[in-house]
């Protein structure tokens, strides 16, 4: 069963809220304890330098020079040794021992704040009940991590590219260390309450054959035992028959050594399950290695940030909900329906509604979940924002059931403006599914327009398409953000007509700003027109610009542009289009330019800007070879410089080979396709949406793995119309 992401999101939020207090206390105390463990490892390195080459027998000889009687010698997690016994002067107690100098000092103690944090971390100062709560918190934390990982996969996929959302990207980085930390904590709690599988230790008992008294420092077992392996050693009450040394090693082995002969009386080796538990405990506390203590310190600190970013996301979405003001009315001429995850689509919807109302058109604005079609209204606009890879917003996971309750006027027409991100394979999928369902199930004649990353040029094309689909008069849609205000004057310096295309080259009266690049857009409004049309630009080194215009029958703007003569001046504004700039990193790698018809417009300037021997490829589809003659000079020069090493001109009406469409080249030449999708390449597409879809389908069918990697890495750029 393929559950919608809403269930994982709700479970994730519920778990985060449920364990927030306990997890916060555990993490804060864990940061302190991991810092303490790291500092202990530093002290342990110093201690190991002092006694790394000593064996237990040598230390015993050294201790006899200061003690008349010994009771115990042990080492703590920081590598500090404590010796308990009676000094030669008769004083009895515990002292710290510096092995390199045999100096005695005050016995090491655990700082009160470490004891306090340890108690807080283990039991929240609540004894057994607290240990149960901490164990339950660790289990739920594991589940929280699982739901977060699953939700990320459902929404953002498994690509290596970051999502740009701190909470998600940081969560993926912390997933593994936090999972290890939570699992080891669960294992320790399971042992505490008897749920950890137990097995008996291996116990070897030896019968003494005879008593051969030796001095303890001469026992073979102590001579062969390195000090680094010793954890704790207890001396017998007296060196006589029936007494023994009790020795505990760091690997969990426990030895009983006869006090007179030095024979090993008993050897208890821990079982595999006990060794595993001890190792997990050492990993959890950071005692196993400095790597773990440092990792826990960093992971715990960043988990606090992760919790804060999660809270910020929840709070920001909660705060934005009341700002969405719906305007419903029975006399509306246009109904705008919004389906948005975080509410950002409402700004666009309200902008469009104001434009309609400013032109005397009554508008109804409502959220999709509360929308009920007006039986008298015949124009409906859906603004549908795809969530993640291709899903509907989480509160609309049952949107298909919602649609089944709607009834539209028999002559109604619909427009779906679908928002998404082209880095995902299922670009604007929710909008696509919505349009398909409205058309097939509701009988509403619907047109789909997709908007990539809320691009203003895409929105403007969507506005124009909406007016056409809903049979509304031309209305000017003023763009609110992302443009250079003010119009500038330009003078036409060259004009070449090629079939149904016209190439225009012009210069600005005032030089271009430095940040204007090929791929940016020119907004033009013909005399008497009511709104701007967008054309992609080539910017050349001589400060001139060019654009290729496809002539449309009856096209108001293209007809006007075709009528211009050299020397004519006109006004226009430049709108930046950073998503379709050629990256500077591309200069060292291969670029494949793919276009049809007037889509060559921005590529001529990009090709000129490339360095010599850039070894780029251009695949250009036109109807007849003669239609490409206006670009012969620029492309010929690029071939001489090595900027272009391959030029494929596809002619649909003069096909002399098996290539009739642009995508045919990549079907017939698999090496070219794989080169275009290599890890150092970049693909740039400009032209019609139909051509772009065919190219994507071809690459997906024949080279899907490389195609997906190119898209996710951001090396696939498309600007189509």
């Amino acid at each position: 069963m393929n559950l919608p992401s809403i269930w994982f999101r709700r479970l994730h939020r519920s778990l985060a809220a449920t364990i927030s207090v306990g997890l916060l206390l555990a993490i804060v105390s864990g940061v302190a304890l991991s810092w303490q463990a790291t500092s202990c490892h530093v002290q342990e390195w110093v201690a190991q330098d002092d006694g790394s080459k000593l064996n237990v027998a040598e230390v015993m000889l050294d201790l006899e020079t200061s003690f008349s009687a010994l009771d115990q010698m042990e080492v703590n997690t920081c590598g500090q040794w404590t010796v308990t016994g009676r000094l030669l002067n008769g004083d009895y107690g515990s002292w710290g021992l510096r092995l390199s100098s045999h100096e005695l000092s005050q016995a090491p103690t655990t700082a009160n704040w470490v004891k306090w944090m340890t108690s807080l971390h283990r039991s929240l100062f609540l004894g057994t009940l607290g240990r149960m709560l901490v164990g339950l918190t660790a289990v739920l934390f594991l589940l929280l991590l699982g739901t977060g990982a699953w939700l990320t996969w459902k929404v953002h996929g498994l690509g290596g590219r970051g999502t740009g959302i701190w909470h998600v990207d940081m969560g993926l980085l912390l997933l593994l260390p936090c999972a290890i930390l939570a699992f080891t904590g669960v294992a320790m709690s399971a042992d505490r309450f008897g749920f950890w599988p137990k097995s008996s230790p291996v116990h070897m008992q030896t019968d003494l054959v005879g008593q051969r008294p030796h001095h303890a420092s001469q026992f073979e077992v102590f001579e062969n035992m390195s000090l680094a392996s010793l954890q704790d050693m207890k001396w017998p009450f007296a060196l006589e028959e029936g007494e023994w040394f009790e020795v505990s090693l760091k690997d969990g082995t426990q030895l009983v050594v006869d006090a007179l002969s030095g024979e090993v009386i008993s050897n208890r080796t821990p079982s595999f399950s006990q060794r595993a538990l001890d190792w997990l405990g050492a990993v959890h506390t950071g005692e196993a290695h400095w790597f773990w203590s440092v990792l826990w310190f960093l992971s715990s600190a960043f988990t606090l940030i992760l919790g804060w970013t999660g809270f910020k996301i929840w709070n920001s979405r909660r705060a934005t909900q009341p700002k969405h003001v719906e305007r419903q009315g029975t006399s509306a001429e246009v109904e705008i329906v919004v389906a948005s995850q975080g509410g950002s689509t409402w700004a666009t919807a309200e902008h469009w509604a104001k434009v309609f109302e400013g032109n005397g058109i009554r508008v109804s604005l409502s959220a999709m979940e509360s929308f009920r079609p007006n039986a008298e209204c015949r124009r409906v606009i859906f603004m549908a924002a795809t969530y993640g890879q291709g899903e509907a917003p989480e509160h609309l996971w049952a949107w298909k059931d919602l649609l089944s309750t709607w009834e539209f006027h028999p002559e109604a027409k619909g427009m779906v403006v679908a928002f998404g991100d082209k880095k995902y394979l299922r670009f604007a999928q929710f909008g696509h599914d919505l349009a398909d369902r409205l058309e097939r199930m509701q009988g509403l004649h619907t047109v789909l327009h997709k908007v990539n990353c809320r691009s203003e040029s895409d929105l403007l094309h969507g506005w124009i398409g909406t007016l056409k689909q809903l049979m509304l008069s031309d209305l000017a849609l003023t763009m609110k953000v992302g443009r250079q205000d003010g119009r500038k004057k330009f003078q036409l310096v060259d004009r070449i007509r090629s079939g149904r295309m016209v190439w225009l080259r012009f210069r600005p009266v005032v030089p271009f700003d430095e940040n204007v690049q090929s791929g940016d857009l020119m907004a033009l409004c013909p005399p008497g027109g009511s709104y701007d049309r967008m054309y992609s630009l080539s910017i050349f080194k001589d400060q001139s610009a060019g654009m290729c215009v496809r002539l449309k029958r009856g096209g108001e703007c293209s007809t006007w542009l075709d009528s211009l003569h050299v020397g004519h001046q006109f006004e226009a504004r430049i709108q930046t289009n950073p998503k379709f700039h050629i990256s500077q990193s591309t200069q060292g790698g291969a670029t494949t330019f793919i276009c049809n018809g007037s889509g060559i417009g921005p590529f001529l300037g990009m090709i000129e800007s490339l360095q010599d021997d850039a070894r780029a490829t251009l695949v250009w589809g036109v109807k007849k070879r003669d239609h490409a003659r206006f670009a012969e000079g620029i492309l010929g020069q690029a071939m001489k410089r090595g900027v272009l090493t391959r030029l494929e001109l596809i002619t649909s009406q003069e096909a002399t080979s098996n290539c009739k469409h642009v995508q045919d080249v990549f079907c017939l030449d698999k090496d070219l396709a794989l080169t275009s999708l290599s890890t150092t390449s970049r693909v740039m597409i400009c032209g019609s949406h139909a051509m772009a879809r065919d190219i994507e389908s071809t690459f997906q069918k024949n080279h899907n793995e490389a195609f997906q990697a190119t898209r996710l890495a951001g090396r696939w750029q498309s600007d189509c119309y």
Side-chain angles (χ1 to χ4, degrees):
M1 181 179 180
N2 188 21
L3 294 175
S5 61
I6 181 176
W7 296 114
F8 296 102
R9 179 172 292 277
R10 287 177 176 174
L11 179 58
H12 190 71
R13 288 174 179 168
S14 300
L15 288 169
T18 301
I19 65 174
S20 57
V21 175
L23 186 61
L24 177 62
L25 295 176
I27 291 175
V28 170
S29 57
V31 170
L33 293 177
S34 58
W35 175 259
Q36 170 65 14
T38 302
S39 64
C40 272
H41 280 297
V42 175
Q43 298 176 41
E44 189 178 9
W45 290 338
V46 176
Q48 285 179 348
D49 290 339
D50 287 343
S52 58
K53 298 180 180 179
L54 297 176
N55 59 44
V56 174
E58 292 173 324
V59 176
M60 295 176 73
L61 279 174
D62 292 336
L63 291 177
E64 289 175 355
T65 62
S66 302
F67 289 86
S68 60
L70 288 164
D71 287 344
Q72 186 177 8
M73 181 175 68
E74 61 180 341
V75 63
N76 63 15
T77 57
C78 297
Q80 298 170 321
W81 288 92
T82 300
V83 179
T84 302
R86 188 179 301 279
L87 294 174
L88 295 177
N89 61 10
D91 293 339
Y92 180 84
S94 296
W95 287 268
L97 175 64
R98 181 68 180 269
L99 296 174
S100 59
S101 60
H102 313 302
E103 294 179 356
L104 298 178
S105 60
Q106 185 177 356
T109 58
T110 303
N112 289 332
W113 72 267
V114 175
K115 297 178 181 178
W116 193 88
M117 284 294 181
T118 302
S119 180
L120 173 64
H121 190 79
R122 289 180 177 177
S123 63
L124 307 176
F125 304 119
L126 297 177
T128 301
L129 176 61
R131 283 183 173 268
M132 293 175 62
L133 292 175
V134 169
L136 180 61
T137 299
V139 173
L140 294 179
F141 185 43
L142 268 179
L143 187 57
L144 178 71
L145 295 172
T147 55
W150 190 261
L151 181 62
T152 300
W153 172 73
K154 292 281 290 182
V155 176
H156 300 287
L158 297 176
R161 187 182 181 188
T163 64
I165 304 174
W166 269 79
H167 186 74
V168 177
D169 294 340
M170 190 184 301
L172 289 177
L173 290 175
L174 296 176
L175 178 62
L176 183 59
C178 285
I180 296 174
L181 193 60
F183 175 76
T184 53
V186 170
M188 296 174 70
S189 295
D191 176 66
R192 175 67 175 77
F193 293 103
F195 297 116
W196 186 262
K198 293 288 187 179
S199 57
S200 300
V202 179
H203 189 183
M204 298 177 60
Q205 192 78 26
T206 303
D207 295 328
L208 296 178
V209 177
Q211 301 289 340
R212 298 184 300 278
H214 290 285
H215 192 277
S217 61
Q218 298 176 343
F219 290 171
E220 183 178 357
V221 63
F222 294 149
E223 290 178 343
N224 295 331
M225 184 182 297
S226 67
L227 188 65
S229 65
L230 182 65
Q231 178 65 48
D232 180 51
M233 181 175 176
K234 295 180 180 178
W235 270 256
F237 180 75
L239 298 177
E240 58 186 33
E241 186 176 351
E243 296 290 336
W244 54 79
F245 291 88
E246 296 180 6
V247 181
S248 297
L249 303 182
K250 290 181 179 178
D251 65 359
T253 301
Q254 294 182 345
L255 304 176
V256 176
V257 180
D258 183 77
L260 293 180
S261 66
E263 297 289 336
V264 177
I265 302 173
S266 175
N267 184 344
R268 289 172 58 90
T269 303
S271 63
F272 174 78
S273 62
Q274 186 60 45
R275 286 178 181 272
L277 180 64
D278 292 342
W279 183 80
L280 291 175
V283 168
H284 186 82
T285 58
E287 296 175 8
H289 195 272
W290 64 265
F291 168 79
W292 296 111
S293 61
V294 173
L295 181 62
W296 298 155
F297 176 77
L298 295 176
S299 299
S300 299
F302 281 108
T303 300
L304 291 173
I305 301 176
L306 191 67
W308 174 249
T309 56
F311 173 78
K312 290 284 287 183
I313 290 174
W314 171 82
N315 188 56
S316 63
R317 288 177 176 171
R318 181 185 62 84
T320 56
Q321 292 299 323
K323 297 180 181 179
H324 304 155
V325 180
E326 299 184 24
R327 301 196 296 273
Q328 298 180 350
T330 57
S331 61
E333 300 172 81
V334 174
E335 292 183 307
I336 300 179
V337 184
V338 180
S340 175
Q341 172 71 22
S344 57
T345 308
W346 280 87
T348 303
E350 290 171 349
H351 181 210
W352 284 30
K354 289 179 181 178
V355 174
F356 283 130
E357 291 172 342
N359 288 273
I361 299 174
R362 296 184 300 276
V363 177
S364 169
L365 179 62
S366 59
M368 185 171 171
E369 59 269 26
S370 61
F371 172 66
R372 294 296 180 270
N374 182 353
E376 300 301 321
C377 186
R378 305 185 185 187
R379 299 183 179 98
V380 186
I381 303 172
F382 290 90
M383 291 191 173
T386 293
Y387 179 56
Q389 293 189 89
E391 295 186 349
E394 63 173 30
H395 62 283
L396 292 171
W397 67 274
W399 64 272
K400 294 179 182 178
D401 296 334
L402 180 63
L403 259 66
S404 64
T405 64
W406 294 351
E407 291 185 6
F408 295 94
H409 190 282
E411 298 180 4
K413 293 185 177 182
M415 182 74 186
V416 175
V417 181
F419 297 85
D421 191 333
K422 281 188 176 179
K423 75 180 180 182
Y424 297 117
L425 176 62
R426 301 175 66 203
F427 166 50
Q429 185 64 37
F430 170 52
H432 181 276
D433 293 342
L434 177 60
D436 181 67
R437 181 65 63 128
L438 289 170
E439 184 81 40
R440 291 191 301 107
M441 304 300 294
Q442 300 295 327
L444 180 68
H445 179 56
T446 307
V447 171
L448 171 67
H449 178 79
K450 296 183 179 182
V451 178
N452 178 41
C453 298
R454 306 193 180 276
S455 162
E456 287 195 358
S457 60
D458 285 353
L459 279 172
L460 187 57
H461 285 304
W463 172 261
I464 297 171
T466 299
L467 298 179
K468 180 179 179 181
Q469 165 67 3
L470 303 185
M471 294 185 295
L472 294 168
S473 58
D474 287 347
L475 303 174
L477 179 68
T478 56
M479 307 308 291
K480 298 180 294 181
V481 294
R483 74 162 195 259
Q484 297 178 358
D485 293 325
R487 295 180 178 272
K488 298 181 179 180
K489 280 191 175 183
F490 300 89
Q491 185 174 31
L492 192 66
V493 296
D494 192 18
R495 174 187 179 279
I496 302 175
R497 175 78 177 269
S498 295
R500 297 299 301 171
M501 296 185 297
V502 59
W503 169 253
L504 302 176
R505 193 153 176 169
F506 43 87
R507 295 182 186 277
V509 174
V510 178
F512 285 120
D513 294 336
E514 292 183 358
N515 60 344
V516 176
Q517 302 181 37
S518 295
D520 284 339
L521 304 173
M522 172 170 276
L524 282 163
C525 184
S530 57
Y531 61 91
D532 287 338
R533 279 75 164 176
M534 297 291 183
Y535 295 92
S536 293
L537 289 177
S538 274
I539 306 297
F540 297 101
K541 294 179 180 178
D542 64 357
Q543 275 290 300
S544 68
M547 65 183 180
C548 192
V549 179
R550 181 169 64 93
L551 302 177
K552 300 180 181 179
R553 289 184 176 85
E556 183 181 6
C557 191
S558 63
T559 301
W560 168 66
L561 289 172
D562 186 39
S563 68
L564 300 182
H565 298 286
V566 174
H568 186 94
Q569 289 191 352
F570 59 92
E571 290 188 346
R573 62 178 175 84
I574 303 297
Q575 180 173 308
T576 59
N577 187 24
K579 71 182 181 67
F580 202 63
H581 289 167
I582 188 166
S583 172
Q584 291 300 317
S585 61
T586 309
Q587 303 287 344
T591 304
T592 300
F593 299 100
I594 304 173
C595 60
N596 66 339
S598 60
I600 190 67
F603 288 161
L604 296 179
M606 292 182 186
I607 290 172
E608 188 200 55
S609 70
L610 291 175
Q611 298 177 355
D612 293 352
D613 300 320
R615 305 182 64 80
T617 297
L618 172 62
V619 181
W620 182 15
V622 293
K623 290 185 177 181
K624 297 180 180 181
R625 181 170 293 272
D626 185 58
H627 291 176
R629 62 183 174 86
F630 68 87
E632 288 177 353
I634 298 174
L635 297 180
Q637 185 64 26
M639 296 288 285
K640 289 181 181 179
R641 293 197 298 120
V643 174
L644 281 180
T645 55
R646 183 166 182 175
L647 171 60
E648 294 286 348
L649 191 63
I650 313 302
T651 55
S652 59
Q653 294 182 0
E654 298 176 348
T656 57
S657 63
N658 293 327
C659 293
K660 187 176 181 180
H661 301 98
V662 172
Q663 63 270 23
D664 296 339
V665 177
F666 300 97
C667 291
L668 296 175
D669 193 337
K670 291 183 172 52
D671 291 338
L672 174 60
L674 291 175
T675 300
S676 302
L677 299 174
S678 69
T679 55
T680 59
S681 68
R682 179 173 297 273
V683 176
M684 302 190 74
I685 303 177
C686 188
S688 68
H689 275 304
M691 179 271 296
R693 284 195 300 267
D694 290 340
I695 289 292
E696 292 180 359
S697 298
T698 298
F699 280 4
Q700 183 179 354
K701 179 180 178 181
N702 299 328
H703 313 283
N704 186 54
E705 185 175 347
F707 170 61
Q708 299 302 337
T710 301
R711 287 171 61 98
L712 290 173
R715 293 181 284 105
W716 184 280
Q717 294 173 261
S718 178
D719 191 22
C720 297
Y721 46 85

